[in-house]
């Protein structure tokens, strides 16, 4: 290869290297001011498992993956044929108990009428006996009949009390079975997006078996890890900023909502300052709920990015970290 060719290659290499240097300077994030630190992280969201309280067969799943649901939305049902049969039987027992109570009411009225009649007879016989027109034996017989009639009234009243208790017991059975049937309908406890369908129609799940998993998009945060020297200065509620890989031109506001009390990646022995610097603390940077509500359709878990936190309240955010959101 001639000297000219070598010279051309050298010039081209220098030009490419210079271009790469300027490109790196252009795209690399500017240096952070004192009091602000950063760390790579990933957007996460709380997951909610909608589970069966009791074992049973899944009758139908009424949502699909990716669907947005609001709190109270029916997402799935379990088969209730057996419970329905027991519920009908319990309802029939309530009606039977109510009819028995009606009979006890009628019997009480009859026994009270009989007692009233015997009391009148006793009163008349006592008057006749006082005048010598009735014997003591007749009076004693009527008093015995009066006592018997009083016992009949008490028995009839006890029958009514038993009927009331039977009705209450039968209604309690209905309520219990109705509660079991209600538990067969699975509702979304909060607003969210369906992340996974874990059981299909026809599958049998156990008590606590997961059927649907929701992503709670009202609680989205980025998890980052900071060394001990930074985490020790960080306060819950401190301002933060997020820049996400898919939308690097925007800056999302956040705040520190959690700082772990125990370190991650802890070495076996912590003896020197360098080893103490290896201690990493988990930090959550939460996005405000009002912002999540506004960008509900765009909010997604699993997105990577960089989190920036302010260790010093007096530190000023640089211009490139000022909040900037899509219109």
């Amino acid at each position: 290869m001639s000297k000219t060719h070598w010279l051309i290659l050298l010039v081209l290499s220098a030009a490419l290297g210079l271009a790469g240097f300027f490109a790196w300077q252009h795209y690399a994030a500017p240096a952070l001011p004192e009091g602000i630190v950063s760390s790579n992280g990933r957007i996460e969201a709380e997951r909610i498992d909608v589970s069966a309280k009791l074992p049973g067969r899944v009758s139908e799943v009424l949502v699909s993956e990716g669907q947005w649901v609001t709190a109270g939305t029916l997402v799935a049902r379990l088969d209730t044929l057996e419970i329905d049969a027991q519920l009908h039987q319990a309802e029939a027992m309530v009606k039977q108990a109510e009819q028995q109570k009606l009979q006890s009411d009628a019997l009480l009225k009859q026994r009270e009428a009989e007692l009233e009649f015997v009391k009148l007879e006793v009163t008349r016989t006592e008057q006749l006996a006082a005048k010598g027109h009735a014997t003591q034996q007749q009076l004693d017989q009527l008093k015995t009949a009066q006592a018997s009639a009083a016992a009949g009234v008490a028995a009839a009243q006890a029958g009514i009390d038993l009927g009331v208790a039977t009705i209450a017991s039968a209604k309690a059975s209905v309520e219990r079975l109705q509660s079991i049937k209600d538990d067969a309908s699975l509702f979304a406890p909060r607003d969210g997006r369906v992340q996974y369908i874990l059981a299909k129609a026809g599958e049998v799940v156990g008590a606590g078996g997961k059927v649907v998993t929701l992503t709670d998009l009202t609680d989205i945060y980025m998890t980052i890890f900071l060394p001990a020297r930074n985490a020790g200065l960080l306060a819950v509620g401190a301002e933060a900023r997020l820049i996400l890989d898919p939308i690097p031109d925007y800056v999302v506001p956040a705040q520190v909502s959690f700082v772990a009390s125990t370190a991650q990646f802890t070495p076996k022995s912590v003896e020197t300052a360098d080893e103490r610097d290896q201690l990493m603390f988990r930090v959550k940077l939460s996005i405000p709920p009002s912002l999540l509500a506004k960008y509900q359709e765009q909010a997604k878990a699993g997105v990577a990015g960089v989190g920036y936190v302010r260790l010093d309240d007096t530190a000023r955010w640089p211009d490139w970290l000022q909040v900037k959101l899509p219109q």
Side-chain angles (χ1 to χ4, degrees), residues 96-230:
Q96 181 180 358
E98 289 174 342
Q99 289 299 318
Q100 289 176 342
K101 182 180 177 300
L102 290 175
Q103 292 177 353
S104 296
D105 290 337
L107 181 60
L108 176 61
K109 292 179 180 179
Q110 179 183 348
R111 293 291 183 260
E112 288 176 339
E114 292 174 352
L115 177 60
E116 189 64 26
F117 175 76
V118 173
K119 284 181 177 180
L120 292 174
E121 286 295 311
V122 169
T123 301
R124 284 195 293 267
T125 303
E126 285 176 340
Q127 293 174 352
L128 292 174
K131 297 178 180 180
H133 300 302
T135 64
Q136 185 62 38
Q137 181 180 4
Q138 291 174 324
L139 182 58
D140 291 340
Q141 289 176 343
L142 287 173
K143 287 184 177 180
T144 300
Q146 180 180 349
S148 177
V153 169
Q157 183 61 57
I160 291 177
D161 295 339
L162 177 61
V164 170
T166 303
I167 292 172
S169 175
K171 286 184 175 180
S173 295
V174 170
E175 291 174 0
R176 179 180 62 82
L177 292 169
Q178 184 62 56
S179 176
I180 294 174
K181 181 178 179 179
D182 292 342
D183 287 334
S185 297
L186 308 183
F187 298 92
R190 298 185 65 177
D191 296 353
R193 195 176 301 282
V194 179
Q195 187 74 13
Y196 303 111
I197 303 294
L198 302 174
K200 304 292 185 182
E203 294 182 10
V204 176
V205 296
K210 301 174 184 178
V211 179
V212 174
T213 297
L214 305 177
T215 298
D216 182 6
L217 297 182
T218 64
D219 185 9
I220 290 184
Y221 55 89
M222 175 181 282
T223 299
I224 63 173
F225 290 88
L226 294 177
R229 64 179 181 275
N230 293 332

Side-chain angles (χ1 to χ4, degrees), residues 27-88:
Y27 289 105
L32 290 171
E34 190 71 23
I36 297 177
V37 296
S38 66
S39 176
N40 294 326
R42 188 174 298 275
I43 292 294
E44 300 179 32
E46 292 297 331
R47 290 182 178 176
I48 303 170
D49 292 322
V50 182
S51 306
K53 182 177 179 180
L54 299 171
R57 186 182 302 277
V58 178
S59 174
E60 55 182 338
V61 178
L62 303 171
V63 294
S64 56
E65 291 184 351
Q67 179 180 338
W68 175 262
V69 295
T70 57
T73 299
L74 181 64
V75 298
R77 286 194 185 95
L78 301 182
D79 182 82
T80 60
L81 288 177
E82 183 177 354
I83 294 298
D84 286 339
Q86 295 178 13
L87 185 58
H88 292 327

Side-chain angles (χ1 to χ4, degrees), residues 239-241 249-254 291 317-325:
E239 286 190 19
R241 300 286 188 267
D249 295 332
Y250 298 104
V251 180
V252 181
L291 189 62
W317 291 106
D319 292 341
W320 61 276
L321 279 179
Q322 295 298 323
V323 174
K324 183 182 179 183
L325 298 171

Side-chain angles (χ1 to χ4, degrees), residues 306-319:
V306 180
Y308 301 84
V309 294
R310 192 164 66 172
L311 304 178
D312 184 355
D313 289 342
T314 62
R316 182 184 178 279
W317 291 106
D319 292 341

